[in-house]
Amino acid sequence: MHPRHLAGDDDELADRVSLVLAEVGWTSWTTARSTLLHLSPRGLAGAEWVRGSHDFLLGELPVAWHISARTHPGSAVMEWNAYFTTGTPPEAIGDFLLAVEARTDPAVNYGGRDAVLDALCALGWARDIDTPGSRVWDPGMSAGFAWGELPERVRDGDPRPGLCGWQAWAEPVIGEPCQWTAAFSASVPHDLVAAFAASLASPVPVLRRNPPENADGRLVVTPAL
């Protein structure tokens, strides 16, 4: 089915993302808080399944995956953090993590934020009329991607107050709760965010057994072969 950004996670967000990480050699273990922590082979990035371990909400939805990176394996300071709630398409989180894994220096930002906007516009999303340099909408105006002020609990290695970052969300029915939300702290490299964005907007159909009810009428369903 498509569009991917409204297809939900099929209640398999933990397993689907964990499988991607296992295939590229990330190790994993259960923490003392009963969360599942994955660590990249170079020790520079981590991905933790935190669903149910704390009350961190984004858009009134519980955060499920917390992903972070640091400059060297011995550092206790995470340079950036990214957060994804339940309902986020697992393909997009998986592609974000594959982009992180492909980087020898995932904490370093090389480019500007146009990388994110261009990735979405190349796949049919459109820049906001009033804020074309910082916000993009999907063709049905049911999902958005924006650069701006972040929720207080989205933490970054840069301690300066008031820093901006990327946020994304799906709101199939205006005025009703979001289907999913994601937030990237200020220092997340734009090319990594662009990998998430491009996967999110990909026209390639995804397999789902239980489509989200709040996207009814907006999804195109094709029987699996």
Side-chain angles (χ1 to χ4, degrees), residues 121-199:
C121 291
L123 292 167
W125 290 40
R127 292 178 184 249
D128 185 86
I129 295 176
D130 296 321
T131 54
S134 60
R135 188 181 297 262
V136 180
W137 297 98
D138 80 306
M141 298 292 288
S142 57
F145 223 107
W147 173 265
E149 186 177 351
L150 294 165
E152 184 177 351
R153 294 185 67 177
V154 175
R155 298 178 179 175
D156 192 75
D158 188 332
R160 292 176 296 170
L163 295 175
C164 293
W166 289 105
Q167 291 190 80
W169 66 93
E171 187 182 15
V173 181
I174 296 176
E176 294 192 5
C178 290
Q179 186 186 104
W180 59 265
T181 61
F184 303 84
S185 73
S187 298
V188 181
H190 297 297
D191 63 295
L192 299 183
V193 182
F196 173 81
S199 181

